[in-house]
Each structure stands twice: as structure tokens, then as C-alpha cells.
């Protein structure tokens, strides 16, 4: 154990060497006596004394009562602690200054150790020994050690911030931005894959830069991938979160009048790696949930064993108990991607309805808990897709899992009715179909086919031979209650043309269109005719009975 006199000499030597540094001053000194650090100058015990002792000989920043920098630098000889210098400065030193401080302490320790062994300090080859001098290799090693310690501190702070429990108003991106802003002292903005701000810290909510167009964002991605370094643009540094070459998001650090340090760059890049892991995890979960949901919806509308359905829906966080409705939607022009499916999913999120959503061919299918409002579903979807050229069919309620396929069949029926009607865009509920509920959806029953032929056969054959559309004219005339003006407007023809067509209908059929019973039968026949394949506006699957679409 080092004796007290030797410890005092060592502490005095270190004090003299450190006092020559211009960026800090010695605030206090401690001497190790029998392994216990005590102030050199006798005084009352202070909170700082406990802070110094808790460090157990590890150099570190100390909490201070006033602004500025307070640092504990321990002196060690032959592996034993012999004292501590408490240093202070108005501003924290940079890495070169800390390197100089550590180097001075290292040289003092080496010199005192050599003297205690009866040796003299040796000159570096080609360079005479001087007090406070330092071998360049040792200086480089000290710089690297300080950088690694700084990187460990940054990693620890960001890791803790990224894994903290989220508060009521926090997001994972928000926590990451706050920690990174605190570490770098700069404003931080986190963007999604499309350049939209998802979180910010250290500045106002409005970023002091404009959103880059797609071409500029693509260039930034190319520079990031090729160099692996943050890209400078519009007074900010941008680092990208990537997955298989696809941009998931970005972390933007605003530039200030102070130069960007290597520690700032490391913190930015490490925060981006954490964001990349978080966004990749979310995307993987979303894709898995989408696939599981797609398979589950297909099985539910096809018929699924109840116990299995309960387990699998619960795994996705969906409550299959209570009444369920099946909803189907198609949009014009037909979409080959998942845009309609995504729009239907977002619609239920906005309406705060619990739903499982999938896609079949160019149709979106959803199993929805509770009683959905058809008009709201259609209007929200139309706003989401920025198009009102779509149709939605809603099946009746299924009170148990085994009844979901029936609701799906009814939803297809309602959709087919909607697409074949005059107003083919909108939503139709099966339980509001009225007379259509007693008509065969495909028009394939022998009795109904005979009924249609009895009342409309002559007109159909005339249309086929002459290329006219008298059946459609009659259907719209009856739907509009015999109004010439509204019928002509719906058909986009002149009143005289409509009058000519109606006269032709009377001559071909021999029917009196003013007779109530005749009008009723013709109206029912035209409604049934519309359910036949050639009467549909959309390509909606038909058959007797209605079958599920193949994938």
C-alpha cells in the first residue's frame, strides 16, 4: 500500500502539472489515506465529498451547484488510488482538451512510478524528454479511448431512450428525437418514408426547411448508401433508415453555428440504426398481420370451425363474439393492387370500428364487429381513394361464426344489386333491399326466367336484333315513376326521343303502360332483368348459388 507521504508527493506533482492547463482550474483536492478519500484542507463534510467517493476512482463529471463543468480526475500510482483533483471550467472541454488532461495525468503517473523504482524517465527516440510531454502514439491512443468512452455514453443514452415505456402522448420516434437532441444540443426531426415529419425535438413544430421532392429524396438515398455518412442538405444532416434498399424513414439534425463533432455524427448514425430497427419491426409485424388477416377472412367467409376462429381472431386482437357483418367493396376502374383494401382498412380505423380486412381479386372484403353504417363507410372510402366511383355491399348480421358465410353471400347480393341499379355508386345493405331479397341473385331460376321472358321477351329480342336499348329505357322510366323529364335526363336523351322509344315499347309488347298492374309486373321484371349478368355495370361474380371468388 502506498504510504501517505508518497501519496502527498504524487498529488502535489499532479496538481502542479494540471495547473499549467489553461482551460480549467483546480477547485478541490482529496488525498487517499488508508483507502479513504478525504479533503486535503480540513473542512466540514459536503455533498461533493460523497459524489467523489461514489466514483470509486473512475474519472467522471460531477454534479455542480452552479452552471459549468465540474470533473473528478483521480491520481493512481502502481495501480493504487492516492488522490483526486476536482477541476472546474465555465464550459465543458472538447475531446482534444480532455486528451491533454488525461495525457498530463498519465505522464505524471509514469514519472512518479519510475522514480519510486529508482529509474529515470527515458527520452523518446528522436525527441528529448520534457516535463508534460507525451509520445504521439500514447496521445493517439488516449484520443481513441476518449472517443470510445463517449460512444459508449451515447449508445447507453439512446438505448435507454429507445426502450423506455411510452407515455400517453409519446411515440418511439418522439423519445428517440428527444434523447438525440439532448445529446447533440441540436434540433432533431424524424421523417417517414415520404418525407413527412413524424417527430421533432429541440425546436418548434414547423421545420425550417421545405419537404424535398421525390427526385431529391432519391438522390439523398443514393449518397447515403454509397458513403454511409449523413448527407448535408438545406442546413441539416440527414441519415436514412433502410430495409433491403428501401427507405423507411430519416433522422435530420439541424446545423448550427457550432461545428459538427464526430460525437454528433456517431449519435446521429446510431439513432438512425435504432429507428431502422423499430420501423423494420413494425413493417414486419404489419405484413405478418396483413397475411394472417387475409387468410383468416378467407376462411371465415368460406366457413370455419368456431373454436379455431375464436383462437385465431383473438391472436390478432379481434373480438369475434357478438353480431358480425361482412362488407364487400369494388371501385372503378378496377384496382390490381391493395389500394381498395387499404382504403377499407383505414375507413374502419377512422370510424373506430373493429374489423378484419382482406382482398379477393379486385374486391375488398371485411368482417366487421357491430352494425356498420353503409353511407359512412362509402363516404369515408370515397374520400380516402379520392374517387366516388365505387360500390359497397353490406350483408346481414351473423350472430354466430357459422353464419358468417351467409352474411358474405348477402353482401355479394347487395353489391350486385347496387352495381346494376341506376345509381350504381354508393352503399347497399342487404336488409334494405326490399323486393330484391325475394329475387334470385343470378336470375337463373326457371320460374323467374320464364317470368322475365313473359313480360320482357319481346323487347329483349328486339334489342338483340336491332341493337336498341328499349329494356333499359323502360326500366329507367319505371324507376323514375313515369317522369319524362327525369327519365330523359338519366338517359341523356331528348324528351322526343324518349317519347318515340316508349311508343315503340307499346307497339312491340302491346302493354298499356298506364295500367297499374301492368306497370307493377313490368317494374318487377325489369328489376329481375337487371340482376342478370348482362345488366351489371361492374364485373361482380354471379352464379347459382353465389360462390366465393377464387384467389
Amino acid at each position: 500500500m502506498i504510504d501517505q507521504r508518497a501519496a502527498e508527493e504524487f498529488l502535489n506533482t499532479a496538481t502542479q502539472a494540471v495547473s499549467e492547463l489553461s482551460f480549467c482550474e483546480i477547485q478541490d483536492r482529496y488525498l487517499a489515506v488508508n483507502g479513504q478519500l478525504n479533503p486535503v484542507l480540513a473542512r466540514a463534510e459536503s455533498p461533493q465529498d460523497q459524489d467523489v467517493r461514489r466514483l470509486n476512482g473512475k474519472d467522471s463529471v460531477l454534479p455542480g451547484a452552479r452552471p459549468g463543468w465540474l470533473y473528478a480526475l483521480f491520481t493512481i500510482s502502481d495501480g493504487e488510488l492516492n488522490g483526486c483533483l476536482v477541476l472546474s471550467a465555465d464550459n465543458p472541454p472538447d475531446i482534444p482538451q480532455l486528451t491533454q488532461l488525461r495525457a498530463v495525468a498519465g505522464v505524471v503517473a509514469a514519472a512518479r512510478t519510475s522514480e519510486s523504482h529508482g529509474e529515470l524517465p527515458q527520452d523518446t527516440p528522436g525527441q528529448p524528454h520534457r516535463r508534460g510531454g507525451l509520445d504521439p502514439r500514447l496521445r493517439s491512443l488516449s484520443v481513441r479511448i476518449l472517443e470510445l468512452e463517449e460512444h459508449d455514453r451515447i449508445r447507453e443514452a439512446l438505448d435507454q431512450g429507445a426502450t423506455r415505456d411510452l407515455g400517453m402522448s409519446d411515440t418511439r420516434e418522439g423519445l428517440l428525437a428527444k434523447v438525440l437532441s439532448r445529446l447533440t444540443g441540436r434540433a432533431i426531426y424524424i421523417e417517414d418514408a415520404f418525407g413527412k415529419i413524424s417527430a421533432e425535438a429541440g425546436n418548434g413544430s414547423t421545420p425550417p426547411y421545405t419537404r424535398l421532392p421525390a427526385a431529391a429524396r432519391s438522390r439523398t438515398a443514393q449518397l447515403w448508401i454509397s458513403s454511409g455518412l449523413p448527407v448535408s442538405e438545406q442546413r441539416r444532416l440527414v441519415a436514412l433508415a433502410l430495409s433491403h434498399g428501401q427507405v423507411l424513414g430519416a433522422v435530420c439534425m439541424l446545423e448550427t453555428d457550432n461545428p459538427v463533432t464526430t460525437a454528433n455524427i456517431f449519435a446521429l448514425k446510431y439513432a438512425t440504426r435504432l429507428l431502422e430497427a423499430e420501423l423494420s419491426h413494425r413493417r414486419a409485424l404489419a405484413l405478418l398481420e396483413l397475411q394472417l388477416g387475409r387468410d383468416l377472412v378467407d376462411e371465415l367467409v368460406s366457413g370455419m370451425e368456431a373454436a379455431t376462429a375464436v383462437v385465431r381472431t383473438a391472436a390478432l386482437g379481434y373480438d369475434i363474439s357478438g353480431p358480425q357483418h361482412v362488407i364487400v367493396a369494388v371501385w372503378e376502374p378496377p384496382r390490381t393492387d391493395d389500394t381498395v383494401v387499404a382504403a377499407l382498412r383505414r375507413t374502419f380505423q377512422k370510424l373506430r370500428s373493429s374489423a378484419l380486412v382482406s382482398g379477393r381479386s379486385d374486391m375488398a372484403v371485411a368482417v366487421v364487429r357491430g352494425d356498420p353504417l353503409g353511407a359512412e363507410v362509402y363516404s369515408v372510402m370515397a374520400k380516402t381513394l379520392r374517387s366516388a366511383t365505387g360500390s359497397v355491399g353490406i350483408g346481414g348480421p351473423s350472430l354466430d361464426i357459422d353464419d358468417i358465410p351467409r352474411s358474405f353471400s348477402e353482401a355479394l347480393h347487395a353489391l350486385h344489386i347496387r352495381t346494376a341499379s341506376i345509381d350504381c355508386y354508393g352503399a347497399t345493405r342487404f336488409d334494405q333491399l326490399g323486393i330484391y331479397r325475394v329475387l334470385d341473385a343470378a336470375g337463373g331460376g326457371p320460374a323467374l326466367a320464364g317470368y322475365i321472358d313473359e313480360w320482357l321477351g319481346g323487347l329483349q329480342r328486339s334489342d338483340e336484333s336491332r341493337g336498341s336499348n328499349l329494356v333499359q329505357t323502360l326500366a329507367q322510366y319505371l324507376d323514375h315513376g313515369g317522369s319524362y323529364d327525369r327519365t330523359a335526363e338519366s338517359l341523356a336523351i331528348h324528351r322526343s326521343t324518349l317519347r318515340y322509344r316508349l311508343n315503340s315499347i307499346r307497339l312491340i309488347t302491346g302493354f298499356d303502360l298506364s295500367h297499374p298492374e301492368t306497370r307493377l309486373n313490368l317494374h318487377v321484371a325489369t328489376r329481375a332483368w337487371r340482376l342478370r349478368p348482362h345488366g351489371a355495370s361492374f364485373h361482380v361474380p354471379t352464379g347459382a348459388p353465389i360462390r366465393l371468388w377464387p384467389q
Side-chain angles (χ1 to χ4, degrees):
M1 178 179 294
I2 189 170
D3 58 38
Q4 181 173 346
R5 180 178 178 183
E8 289 176 351
E9 291 180 357
F10 190 91
L11 186 62
N12 290 336
T13 302
T15 300
Q16 184 176 356
V18 172
S19 63
E20 296 178 3
L21 301 177
S22 60
F23 61 86
C24 64
E25 61 182 22
I26 299 175
Q27 185 80 19
D28 207 345
R29 301 194 306 157
Y30 292 82
L31 184 66
V33 179
N34 296 325
Q36 176 72 21
L37 283 169
N38 295 312
V40 172
L41 299 177
R43 55 174 173 75
E45 187 78 4
S46 70
Q48 175 184 285
D49 301 338
Q50 295 300 321
D51 293 334
V52 169
R53 291 168 186 147
R54 286 193 196 101
L55 295 176
N56 293 321
K58 183 178 179 180
D59 297 351
S60 179
V61 175
L62 290 170
R66 62 181 180 83
W69 180 72
L70 201 62
Y71 192 79
L73 177 68
F74 292 92
T75 57
I76 298 174
S77 177
D78 286 333
E80 291 195 33
L81 176 68
N82 50 57
C84 175
L85 300 178
V86 176
L87 312 178
S88 65
D90 293 334
N91 298 300
D94 54 25
I95 286 183
Q97 290 173 329
L98 280 176
T99 302
Q100 185 181 8
L101 176 63
R102 294 277 185 88
V104 169
V107 169
V108 171
R112 296 301 303 179
T113 299
S114 298
E115 291 173 5
S116 66
H117 293 163
E119 303 173 357
L120 293 176
Q122 299 296 316
D123 292 346
T124 302
Q127 179 180 351
H129 175 78
R130 60 185 177 83
R131 186 181 184 87
L134 183 64
D135 187 290
R137 291 171 298 177
L138 182 57
R139 178 180 293 275
S140 176
L141 181 61
S142 298
V143 170
R144 182 57 180 160
I145 290 173
L146 285 173
E147 287 180 347
L148 292 176
E149 289 177 350
E150 180 74 3
H151 291 177
D152 284 340
R153 183 179 68 84
I154 291 171
R155 275 194 292 263
E156 183 178 1
L158 287 170
D159 286 340
Q160 289 179 352
T163 56
R164 273 177 49 194
D165 291 336
L166 294 177
M168 293 297 292
S169 59
D170 282 330
T171 63
R172 195 64 65 195
E173 289 92 331
L175 290 177
L176 194 61
K178 289 177 183 177
V179 176
L180 183 58
S181 179
R182 186 170 67 249
L183 287 172
T184 61
R186 299 169 185 268
I188 301 296
Y189 291 91
I190 295 181
E191 300 177 353
D192 64 13
F194 307 102
K196 298 178 182 177
I197 303 297
S198 59
E200 61 85 21
N203 207 342
S205 57
T206 302
Y209 59 87
T210 58
R211 181 181 170 189
L212 294 179
R217 294 202 305 271
S218 177
R219 173 185 169 276
T220 299
Q222 292 173 0
L223 291 174
W224 166 258
I225 292 172
S226 61
S227 67
L229 296 173
V231 180
S232 179
E233 57 182 35
Q234 296 185 3
R235 289 186 57 80
R236 59 178 176 153
L237 288 176
V238 181
L240 300 180
L242 302 176
S243 175
H244 304 290
Q246 185 177 7
V247 177
L248 302 179
V251 182
C252 304
M253 184 174 71
L254 298 195
E255 296 178 351
T256 64
D257 294 335
N258 297 325
V260 177
T261 66
T262 56
N264 293 157
I265 298 296
F266 177 82
L268 176 59
K269 293 175 67 175
Y270 192 77
T272 304
R273 288 177 57 190
L274 294 178
L275 178 66
E276 186 175 284
E278 174 68 19
L279 297 181
S280 296
H281 178 65
R282 287 186 199 169
R283 172 165 291 195
L285 286 180
L287 291 175
L288 178 60
E289 183 177 349
L290 178 62
Q291 183 60 47
L292 292 176
R294 186 186 302 274
D295 295 342
L296 183 55
V297 170
D298 285 346
E299 294 186 44
L300 285 172
V301 300
S302 301
M304 188 177 187
E305 199 268 330
T308 303
V310 170
V311 173
R312 291 184 56 187
T313 53
L316 290 178
Y318 183 79
D319 185 3
I320 198 66
S321 64
Q324 308 285 329
H325 289 258
V326 178
I327 295 180
V328 294
V330 294
W331 235 258
E332 281 192 337
R335 317 293 174 95
T336 57
D337 54 14
D338 282 338
T339 54
V340 178
V341 175
L344 187 58
R345 183 177 289 109
R346 286 196 294 270
T347 293
F348 291 123
Q349 290 173 350
K350 291 179 180 179
L351 296 177
R352 299 188 178 182
S353 296
S354 181
L356 295 171
V357 184
S358 179
R360 283 174 164 263
S361 184
D362 56 353
M363 173 188 294
V365 182
V367 177
V368 187
R369 191 172 188 275
D371 189 8
L373 299 175
E376 291 188 8
V377 171
Y378 173 77
S379 62
V380 175
M381 278 196 74
K383 290 179 181 178
T384 302
L385 291 168
R386 297 182 180 180
S387 167
T389 58
S391 296
V392 176
I394 303 175
S398 56
L399 300 180
D400 54 57
I401 296 171
D402 295 335
D403 214 21
I404 291 178
R406 189 263 310 154
S407 182
F408 178 58
S409 179
E410 292 174 351
L412 287 178
H413 192 168
L415 178 65
H416 185 70
I417 299 299
R418 165 58 67 174
T419 59
S421 66
I422 294 175
D423 185 10
C424 60
Y425 302 136
T428 298
R429 296 179 60 121
F430 180 80
D431 53 14
Q432 297 175 353
L433 285 179
I435 192 173
Y436 285 120
R437 295 181 63 176
V438 300
L439 299 177
D440 180 75
L448 186 58
Y451 179 82
I452 295 173
D453 186 68
E454 177 184 351
W455 288 93
L456 300 177
L459 290 180
Q460 288 181 286
R461 287 184 285 274
S462 176
D463 283 344
E464 291 170 1
S465 62
R466 298 169 55 187
S468 57
N469 56 354
L470 296 179
V471 178
Q472 180 68 14
T473 300
L474 176 62
Q476 298 218 29
Y477 174 72
L478 296 172
D479 280 350
H480 286 98
S483 169
Y484 273 57
D485 291 335
R486 287 185 294 160
T487 304
E489 182 181 356
S490 68
L491 292 170
I493 60 176
H494 197 271
R495 279 174 55 95
S496 60
T497 304
L498 175 61
R499 186 177 297 108
Y500 173 78
R501 290 184 184 181
L502 292 176
N503 286 332
S504 298
I505 291 171
R506 293 187 181 94
L507 291 174
I508 293 171
T509 63
F511 295 140
D512 180 3
L513 299 184
S514 63
H515 192 277
E517 187 173 344
T518 300
R519 288 171 66 98
L520 173 61
N521 280 286
L522 285 173
H523 204 176
V524 172
T526 56
R527 292 288 180 97
W529 170 83
R530 278 177 169 152
L531 300 182
R532 300 172 69 85
H534 61 265
S537 300
F538 284 99
H539 174 65
V540 179
T542 58
I546 294 177
R547 294 182 177 86
L548 304 183
W549 284 13
Q551 287 285 56

